[in-house]
Amino acid sequence: MSDASAQAAVCWQPEIERMDREALEQLQLERLEATLTRVYRTLPFYRQRLDAAGVDPDAVRSVEDLRRVPFTTKEDLRASYPYGLFAVPLRDVVRLHASSGTTGLATVVGYTRNDLRHWGSAVARVLVAGGVTREDVVQVAFHYGLFTGGFGLHQGAELVGASVIPMSSGHSRQQLRIMQDYRTTALACTPSYAMHLADELLEAGVPRGALSLRLGLFGGEPWSEGLRRQLEEKLQISATDNYGLSEVLGPGVAGECGEKRGLHLAEDHLLAELVDPVSGAPARPGAVGELVLTTLTKEAFPLLRYRTGDLTTLTTERCACGRTLARMGRVLGRTDDLLIVKGVKVYPSQIEAVLVALEGADPHYQIVLTRRASMDEATVLVEVSEAIFFDEMRRQSGLRETIARRLAEELGVHVAVRLVERKSLDRGDGKAARVVDRRGA
Amino acid sequence: MLRIRNLEVAYGRRLALRRVSLHVDQGEIVSLIGANGAGKTTLLRTVAGLVRPAGGQVLFRGRDTAGLATERVVALGCSLVPEGRQVFATMPVLENLLLGATVQYRRGRRAEVEADLARAYRLFPRLEQRAGQLAGTLSGGEQQMLAMARALMARPALVMLDEPSMGLAPLVVKDLFAAIRTVRAEGATVLLVEQNARAALRLADRGYVLETGRVVLEGSARALLDNRDVQRAYLGGEPSAAREGERP
Ligand SMILES: Nc1ncnc2c1ncn2[C@@H]1O[C@H](COP(=O)(O)OP(=O)(O)O)[C@@H](O)[C@H]1O
Ligand SMILES: [Mg+2]
Ligand SMILES: [Zn+2]
């Protein structure tokens, strides 16, 4: 443990962030009970759900009792588009955002004045945990708009008292120029955009010494320790991960402290559970599971047991930083990516990793799921170059066998492999459909 | 200081409190607001040992007080200033105050009682002027001061007040609330039940809103003052649409 962590780290709201767990549990129980009472009274959706499940909200008397309450899913939110799950009249709402959602309808979320205040302080916590102070110049390079990233980080940074540059995303060269001229010390954006900026920096020939950057506050998408190392090295910063989703709050749901060993959750505003994504039962202690969140203070858009679709771990172990708030691990993937092939769990990212590592295989691929005798089977279609496809049949079958073997080694289950012509897989609007599910067919 | 979990209180078959959880930390002023019949008095009386709960837990300074006799609860450091300023009308003010010091007398601490009396008079100088007067001849405001001063004579760590402002003129209420502030500054913790929600929330750090025996809202006093449901139900309506932005 570093010297710095021996003494308690600076917190934005120490009375919450270092609260003893017993007092926190009392607070969570009080807020959960009030939320249930309010939601049951005001929202027919939840009233019907609870009634159908035979759950009397008055009978929920502990955090464990919450497990009897049915889950709320993304589909439920879509079905109530746009305002069906608002618990207050629209005139009490002072801000509207929407979740992007690559498929289907967006989800509109509303915030009351109190909701905005809570959101701001939750983001401020994450920023301060990541090292931001009022001395910093924070360049917010998240998109400003319906997406919660830009405005979320903005109001948190402003609350901390930093000098906030509302850059939004895009216009990389301009970002870099402002970063130099305004002496930006902290960059808030997605890790992939940070990587793009780092590459642009190199390309533009800007010497690193021309920047004042010292912190990176990255979130909004899954990334890795490997990418953290690269970003910290290329930009010479300390980079922390923060997590959020607009349905629940936006950024501020959780963020890393200086220890960089898990993201502290805003447990005074949210109740976090980890469940087995298939059975919905509580995940085994220490196991990977799907994060399920219940809001505890939301006035406009409360949610009961929302399935985030994000796979992670959860621990209440004491952190060396002194915060007592539970930590989630990095998001490891999405449940909607999770494939179960012949009983074995497979993530498309694992398949991609194998393909990328193999020379000759293009990382353009598609996983086709079929079902035979109630067993799921997967076929991986891989695009190969024209030369290989037309001229070298023997090499081709060699490549196919190599891919199949390596996939079997990696995944622990055999999947069929087919080579297809370049550009034969539908890329739609730029995003290839990675998984085609024909199990129902 | 006080931690209540899933408190349930029934009068016969009728549930007055259904599932109430709340807490009051050391040094806080917490306000409990709600309409008539919401269960506020019931909650205070249960904590004070005057009503036996049907379920749940009341922890005062770590001890389960459910079912304890009132004198025991007072001795533990929790005093109630009841609804309707119940003073002994046919006794002089001084006698009323000394009745509040029963715990101290039993412990043989007469010197402390003198000091407490001096403190009560500092807090409410009018009581000293009227020390020999029968309590029944005091004005409503003075009786409320007496009720509060009497509770303080037991040196409570937690003072619970049940609608102290009821039926009093605004100026008197102002004095009374200033006294509550002083009491807190001197180290006591306060649980304040009020129908005058605005005044109570301006004084309090946090609050709970009770409706038909359940907590429907809780939060910082500021958040409750800003909550539109609270404004509509307890603060006499929301600010006019055009002036919304001007509120401090
Ligand atoms: N002694 C009692 N016997 C029967 N019912 C009671 C008694 N006291 C209160 N109640 C009922 O319990 C409910 C809660 O009352 P109370 O705690 O006095 O509310 P509040 O103080 O918020 O006005 C009310 O509906 C009231 O009619
Ligand atoms: Mg009452
Ligand atoms: Zn930590």
Side-chain angles (χ1 to χ4, degrees):
Chain A
M1 236 121 283
S2 65
D3 284 350
S5 64
Q7 42 191 283
V10 177
C11 292
W12 177 247
Q13 286 175 298
E15 73 285 3
I16 300 288
E17 295 175 75
R18 297 201 208 111
M19 197 178 227
D20 80 60
R21 298 277 322 165
E22 211 191 312
L24 179 66
E25 277 156 27
Q26 170 80 22
L27 187 70
Q28 289 188 317
L29 178 68
E30 291 173 11
R31 293 182 169 176
L32 174 64
E33 291 178 352
T35 298
L36 278 168
T37 300
R38 223 168 43 241
V39 157
Y40 188 81
R41 282 188 187 182
T42 49
L43 291 169
F45 168 82
Y46 285 111
R47 190 157 54 240
Q48 283 155 18
R49 270 291 164 90
L50 288 166
D51 287 347
V55 179
D56 174 1
D58 283 345
V60 174
R61 279 147 192 251
S62 68
V63 166
E64 289 70 43
D65 285 348
L66 180 63
R67 286 183 198 147
R68 308 200 336 257
V69 171
F71 292 117
T72 305
T73 64
K74 184 78 180 167
E75 284 63 48
D76 296 327
L77 305 194
R78 287 196 182 117
S80 58
Y81 178 87
Y83 298 141
L85 286 177
F86 279 28
V88 299
L90 197 55
R91 68 196 166 117
D92 294 1
V93 168
V94 296
R95 177 87 68 78
L96 292 163
H97 279 288
S99 80
S100 44
T102 45
T103 52
L105 280 170
T107 299
V108 184
V109 292
Y111 300 78
T112 63
R113 199 172 291 285
N114 281 327
D115 289 336
L116 280 190
R117 196 179 294 143
H118 290 147
W119 184 18
S121 65
V123 174
R125 273 183 219 169
V126 164
L127 291 171
V128 169
V132 175
T133 73
R134 54 179 304 179
E135 308 296 327
D136 280 294
V137 178
V138 181
Q139 187 160 335
V140 179
F142 278 110
H143 175 68
Y144 279 65
L146 284 177
F147 169 63
T148 48
F151 282 93
L153 265 298
H154 184 107
Q155 67 202 7
E158 217 168 70
L159 193 60
V160 171
S163 313
V164 188
I165 312 173
M167 272 305 293
S168 199
S169 53
H171 310 283
S172 306
R173 289 296 161 107
Q174 199 193 350
Q175 296 261 8
L176 293 178
R177 186 161 45 74
I178 282 182
M179 201 179 282
Q180 291 173 70
D181 295 352
Y182 294 14
R183 297 193 290 279
T184 299
T185 60
L187 174 65
C189 61
T190 62
S192 57
Y193 192 59
M195 198 60 188
H196 175 70
L197 285 178
D199 290 341
E200 287 275 309
L201 198 66
L202 208 66
E203 205 172 297
V206 179
R208 175 55 185 85
L211 299 184
S212 311
L213 211 57
R214 64 180 197 97
L215 298 171
L217 296 128
F218 304 137
E221 65 188 16
W223 52 310
S224 62
E225 284 306 314
L227 189 54
R228 187 202 315 259
R229 271 193 302 278
Q230 283 188 45
L231 285 168
E232 290 193 326
E233 202 175 292
K234 286 190 180 185
L235 294 170
Q236 289 177 39
I237 54 171
S238 169
T240 47
D241 187 9
N242 67 78
Y243 168 83
L245 62 168
S246 56
E247 299 95 306
V248 171
L249 188 71
V253 170
E256 276 183 334
C257 61
E259 299 296 318
K260 302 183 186 175
R261 296 178 65 182
L263 295 76
H264 290 285
L265 281 149
E267 286 188 284
D268 54 332
H269 297 301
L270 304 157
L271 204 76
E273 299 171 79
L274 210 59
V275 305
D276 181 300
V278 180
S279 71
R284 281 175 293 108
V288 172
E290 180 179 354
L291 186 66
V292 171
L293 296 173
T294 298
T295 65
L296 297 176
T297 57
K298 277 286 210 75
E299 293 177 348
F301 198 77
L303 281 174
L304 300 183
R305 300 196 87 201
Y306 182 64
R307 300 282 295 247
T308 65
D310 291 316
L311 293 166
T312 185
T313 53
L314 208 56
T315 177
T316 51
E317 230 169 78
R318 225 13 216 277
C319 182
C321 75
R323 287 177 183 79
T324 51
L325 298 175
R327 283 168 293 160
M328 59 182 275
R330 276 186 178 285
V331 173
L332 301 167
R334 296 271 318 163
T335 50
D336 35 21
D337 276 346
L338 179 66
L339 311 172
I340 300 185
V341 181
K342 297 171 190 163
V344 178
K345 292 176 181 173
V346 174
Y347 298 109
S349 56
Q350 291 174 282
I351 292 175
E352 183 167 331
V354 167
L355 296 179
V356 169
L358 274 175
E359 261 204 281
D362 229 84
H364 291 296
Y365 67 97
Q366 195 165 61
I367 303 161
V368 180
L369 295 174
T370 49
R371 180 169 289 166
R372 201 168 63 188
S374 81
M375 285 288 268
D376 289 345
E377 290 190 351
T379 304
V380 180
L381 308 182
V382 187
E383 286 188 5
V384 293
S385 68
E386 270 170 30
I388 292 174
F389 199 78
F390 289 114
D391 299 329
E392 301 190 48
M393 294 297 282
R394 259 190 312 168
R395 228 184 104 192
Q396 200 197 123
S397 72
L399 178 64
R400 191 179 59 80
E401 277 161 25
T402 307
I403 294 174
R405 196 180 63 246
R406 297 289 284 274
L407 282 175
E409 285 168 5
E410 167 68 25
L411 309 175
V413 63
H414 177 80
V415 295
V417 175
R418 265 178 49 207
L419 303 182
V420 298
E421 258 185 277
R422 220 179 150 78
K423 302 222 159 101
S424 63
L425 297 178
D426 180 20
R427 287 199 182 83
D429 54 352
K431 276 191 183 177
R434 287 305 189 204
V435 181
V436 176
D437 194 344
R438 299 215 178 101
R439 285 174 298 185
Chain B
M1 170 90 25
L2 178 68
R3 194 172 286 187
I4 298 176
R5 278 173 164 267
N6 298 315
L7 185 62
E8 225 177 86
V9 176
Y11 293 113
R13 283 237 196 91
R14 203 175 165 289
L15 281 176
L17 296 178
R18 280 161 195 279
R19 181 204 51 175
V20 173
S21 301
L22 65 78
H23 73 280
V24 184
D25 284 335
Q26 169 80 43
E28 279 191 307
I29 298 179
V30 172
S31 180
L32 186 58
I33 61 176
N36 245 326
K40 308 180 296 295
T41 297
T42 302
L43 187 134
L44 294 194
R45 288 173 57 82
T46 309
V47 175
L50 294 162
V51 177
R52 253 193 124 80
Q57 203 181 32
V58 179
L59 289 180
F60 176 65
R61 295 172 130 179
R63 286 193 55 161
D64 198 336
T65 61
L68 280 191
T70 306
E71 304 89 295
R72 289 286 301 136
V73 178
V74 173
L76 284 172
C78 174
S79 291
L80 171 66
V81 183
E83 198 169 7
R85 39 183 172 276
Q86 295 159 23
V87 296
F88 297 97
T90 56
M91 285 164 66
V93 167
L94 178 61
E95 297 290 313
N96 266 278
L97 287 173
L98 293 179
L99 272 177
T102 309
V103 174
Q104 307 303 323
Y105 273 123
R106 283 212 187 120
R107 289 176 181 164
R109 295 175 180 164
R110 304 189 70 102
E112 283 182 11
V113 176
E114 288 303 315
D116 292 345
L117 205 54
R119 187 177 76 135
Y121 289 154
R122 233 186 0 263
L123 197 61
F124 301 114
R126 276 204 268 174
L127 293 182
E128 187 165 22
Q129 291 158 21
R130 306 209 186 331
Q133 213 170 305
L134 294 186
T137 65
L138 297 180
S139 71
E142 287 162 351
Q143 289 191 9
Q144 186 62 58
M145 289 172 192
L146 177 56
M148 189 170 151
R150 189 181 60 196
L152 292 174
M153 290 297 288
R155 299 199 164 193
L158 175 69
V159 191
M160 303 189 294
L161 298 118
D162 196 351
E163 304 206 27
S165 78
M166 201 206 284
L168 300 182
L171 268 178
V172 182
V173 173
K174 212 174 143 226
D175 284 351
L176 212 58
F177 277 35
I180 296 173
R181 214 186 290 273
T182 305
V183 165
R184 189 261 289 271
E186 288 174 2
T189 301
V190 179
L191 177 54
L192 171 67
V193 159
E194 262 300 338
Q195 285 210 47
N196 185 345
R198 190 185 307 278
L201 290 174
R202 282 192 178 149
L203 180 69
D205 305 303
R206 290 191 301 114
Y208 294 84
V209 179
L210 209 57
E211 277 175 27
T212 56
R214 301 176 184 88
V215 174
V216 291
L217 278 169
E218 58 70 50
S220 69
R222 179 175 181 195
L224 290 177
L225 282 168
D226 273 350
N227 181 285
R228 296 295 189 87
D229 287 331
V230 172
Q231 288 170 5
R232 284 185 283 259
Y234 305 104
L235 302 177
E238 38 191 317
S240 77
R243 293 190 54 244
E244 166 61 14
E246 288 175 30
R247 256 179 323 119

